[in-house]
Amino acid sequence: MGSDGQSSARPTFTGTTNALEVALTDDVLVVHGGTPLQGKIRVRGAKNLVSKAMVAALLGDEPSRLYDVPRIRDVEVVRGLLGLHGVNITDGDEDGELVFDPANVESADTDEINVHAGSSRIPILFCGPLLHRLGHAFIPDLGGCHIGPRPIDFHLEALRQFGAVVDKRPEGIHLTAPTGLHGTKFVLPYPSVGATEQVLLTAVMAEGVTELRNAAVEPEIIDLICILQKMGAIIKVHTDRVIEIQGVPRLGGYSHRPIPDRIEAASWAAAALATRGDVEVLGAQQADMMTFLNIFRSVGGSYEVVDARPPRGGSAGVEGSIRFWHPGTELHATALETDVHPGFMTDWQQPLVVALTQARGLSIVHETVYEQRLGYTEALNKMGANIQVYRDCLGGTPCRFGRRNFKHSAVIAGPSKLHAAELVIPDLRAGFSHLIAALAAEGTSRVYGVDLINRGYEDFEAKLADLGAHVERP
Ligand code: EPU
């Protein structure tokens, strides 16, 4: 697999057999493209909230209860790490309900923690809660998608300002807090989602007041704040990306139903558009997807929002949903720039670009969140797309990457007829875009490394089957 998001369109198997080759050969989905996706699927709690909510449970001295937890790999990784630290996790009565009992939080063996090295970026968020509960923390090498260097300098600087001592060693990062953790004033150089969560999870029980400026305010962060507030935290969200946290000496548990996964919802929407299909995404919420819906409409896609209605009197309730469909007429090119909330999410970009290959004219995409998130377009070009990537900031606003010589803008000329190919999945979102491209293309594609998609898309193969896709394991 590409190590930096630059995919190669074809697996280059050699005469020798190594572990990667075997893994790729086994982990392949055969996709017979050209059939519009049609039907209904459901999204559950947002991957990028659920995993953080699980970490928050560590802070409480009472059990917490989380609903609608999807069966995805990232949840398993956090579950494993919490288990190693003595959190007892059981299934609740409802499907997708997890109960976390943090009564016996304890140190974990570094070798055991390191089993999870490279599997997710969530371990970095254990720092504050473990420092509060144990006075020390060990963080393994991080994983997550290879979409650029993904530094953790903001996290470590914030932790130092709270009073943590950070000791980087070859096996990972050891942290201690010899004089406890104290409220601080911190300005993020960029509104990083993870660093904002780091500050929240540390400040809620630090002594005194913390003021965070230039904070990220994604819906998943606001939902995390709701969870922390349920646990007893005092957090004020001011205007202009300022968050103020009054530390409290103890936190209790929470009971929470997370916001739905707006990245997954948009991914299925893009799949509906690219395959000329019609997909209703049960659970999708308009308020969290406004920016996506505007672009979807400007491209010519149709959608209808169905508001949730609780059961009343004798009548049954209605589950909220958004139905997305191809209008049957030509799609139009558009210009978009990814950005922090309320901008167009970087994670919506890759799936939508596949649909943009079917739009007439020149579409422009300026990726301003990650410097290397366009490498996957190479594979789309091998399937017949016409996408050029540029170092310039195309589409208006200059961003941090223009001066640093990264290919972070794309021009997509459409419409293009996509044809089948052999594809290797480079990372989670690009992986889903490869899958959409294979579904939209004429002919039979082989998509290698599809298991990576299970990191963030629950039961995606079952959902594909429900939507009438012709896919099979060889
Ligand atoms: N950054 C730094 N230093 C830091 C932290 C971040 O320079 O210490 C930079 C990053 O390199 C990047 C930018 O800040 O250029 C934004 O990164 P951010 O910290 O916001 O991202 P993250 O917290 O690591 C989360 C999601 C990503 C999503 C981004 C942006 C999780 C587990 N991951 O990552 O989701 O793209 O926010 O919204 O919540 C995905 O789900 O596929 C995914 C990659």
Side-chain angles (χ1 to χ4, degrees):
M1 273 180 271
S3 61
D4 59 1
Q6 312 289 313
S7 72
S8 69
R10 200 184 160 81
T12 47
F13 298 139
T14 61
T16 56
T17 308
N18 62 31
L20 176 66
E21 287 168 13
V22 171
L24 284 179
T25 315
D26 284 354
D27 185 18
V28 58
L29 195 67
V30 176
V31 179
H32 307 287
T35 306
L37 294 188
Q38 267 166 344
K40 292 180 191 195
I41 50 99
R42 176 172 283 105
V43 292
R44 295 214 273 187
K47 157 180 147 333
N48 291 347
L49 175 273
V50 163
S51 45
K52 294 41 172 315
M54 292 171 75
V55 180
L58 249 184
L59 286 162
D61 55 17
E62 291 167 346
S64 290
R65 199 173 285 272
L66 190 61
Y67 297 94
D68 263 345
V69 178
R71 279 182 302 274
I72 52 174
R73 185 86 43 71
D74 271 20
V75 164
E76 285 314 307
V77 171
V78 184
R79 191 174 176 152
L81 280 169
L82 286 171
L84 286 178
H85 287 95
V87 179
N88 186 32
I89 305 172
T90 47
D91 291 328
D93 295 341
E94 233 182 64
D95 178 37
E97 177 185 341
L98 290 182
V99 182
F100 307 89
D101 185 350
N104 298 309
V105 171
E106 59 188 15
S107 303
D109 182 77
T110 50
D111 287 342
E112 284 185 317
I113 295 178
N114 259 327
V115 169
H116 296 282
S119 52
S120 159
R121 299 192 59 76
I122 308 299
I124 188 75
L125 296 177
F126 277 68
C127 294
L130 286 180
L131 285 172
H132 283 303
R133 294 297 306 257
L134 301 171
H136 59 90
F138 170 72
I139 307 303
D141 248 8
L142 297 179
C145 287
H146 300 292
I147 47 182
R150 306 194 77 181
I152 51 168
D153 49 336
F154 305 164
H155 294 252
L156 299 183
E157 191 44 39
L159 287 161
R160 286 192 189 98
Q161 285 209 27
F162 278 108
V165 175
V166 178
D167 180 11
K168 289 192 199 171
R169 295 195 208 153
E171 73 275 17
I173 303 173
H174 292 267
L175 298 106
T176 49
T179 58
L181 296 169
H182 307 276
T184 182
K185 287 193 175 190
F186 194 73
V187 185
L188 279 173
Y190 180 83
S192 149
V193 168
T196 299
E197 292 159 344
Q198 181 75 261
V199 170
L200 286 168
L201 290 165
T202 308
V204 280
M205 282 179 68
E207 198 187 324
V209 177
T210 295
E211 183 188 272
L212 177 64
R213 293 191 168 266
N214 206 23
V217 290
E218 268 62 9
E220 291 78 10
I221 288 185
I222 301 302
D223 212 30
L224 179 64
I225 291 176
C226 290
I227 288 173
L228 293 167
Q229 195 177 44
K230 284 176 174 172
M231 297 173 80
I234 303 171
I235 304 172
K236 296 178 194 162
V237 181
H238 298 296
T239 49
D240 297 332
R241 301 189 175 280
V242 179
I243 302 181
E244 188 187 315
I245 305 116
Q246 165 78 59
V248 294
R250 71 161 286 273
L251 292 172
Y254 66 79
S255 171
H256 193 74
R257 197 169 288 277
I259 58 166
D261 199 310
R262 63 196 176 118
I263 306 178
E264 186 185 352
S267 301
W268 289 113
L273 198 58
T275 63
R276 304 181 71 85
D278 184 338
V279 175
E280 184 172 358
V281 184
L282 299 167
Q285 255 176 35
Q286 181 184 14
D288 301 335
M289 297 187 70
M290 278 186 171
T291 318
F292 179 83
L293 295 175
N294 287 336
I295 292 286
F296 195 83
R297 180 166 281 162
S298 71
V299 172
S302 301
Y303 66 87
E304 183 189 18
V305 177
V306 178
D307 291 330
R309 218 178 40 236
R312 199 170 296 142
S315 66
V318 172
E319 181 173 9
S321 68
I322 307 182
R323 179 185 152 217
F324 300 91
W325 71 96
H326 189 289
T329 51
E330 201 161 59
L331 302 180
H332 328 293
T334 193
L336 71 89
E337 218 161 55
T338 65
D339 207 346
V340 292
H341 189 74
F344 189 92
M345 288 186 91
T346 170
D347 307 284
W348 289 333
Q349 182 255 106
Q350 300 90 326
L352 193 75
V353 162
V354 183
L356 293 181
T357 66
Q358 303 309 301
R360 179 159 303 278
L362 295 180
S363 291
I364 297 174
V365 171
H366 181 201
E367 169 61 57
T368 78
V369 180
Y370 291 112
E371 54 272 65
Q372 291 174 37
R373 221 177 188 182
L374 293 173
Y376 73 97
T377 57
E378 224 176 276
L380 299 186
N381 282 343
K382 290 193 177 142
M383 298 178 79
N386 184 353
I387 306 174
Q388 300 282 334
V389 289
Y390 296 87
R391 292 188 165 81
D392 315 72
C393 297
L394 298 182
T397 333
C399 77
R400 332 171 260 155
F401 306 139
R403 295 184 299 277
R404 290 165 53 202
N405 216 15
F406 287 111
K407 288 185 176 169
H408 70 294
S409 293
V411 176
I412 303 124
S416 304
K417 200 169 173 50
L418 299 181
H419 51 78
E422 297 211 333
L423 301 160
V424 179
I425 282 189
D427 67 68
L428 179 60
R429 306 302 168 191
F432 200 83
S433 82
H434 283 15
L435 194 58
I436 298 175
L439 291 162
E442 283 300 326
T444 298
S445 297
R446 292 172 77 83
V447 187
Y448 293 88
V450 276
D451 189 39
L452 198 60
I453 295 181
N454 290 313
R455 266 199 56 212
Y457 293 87
E458 183 181 40
D459 288 343
F460 78 93
E461 288 180 57
K463 287 178 185 174
L464 284 174
D466 287 350
L467 295 175
H470 296 139
V471 299
E472 62 192 335
R473 291 282 185 169

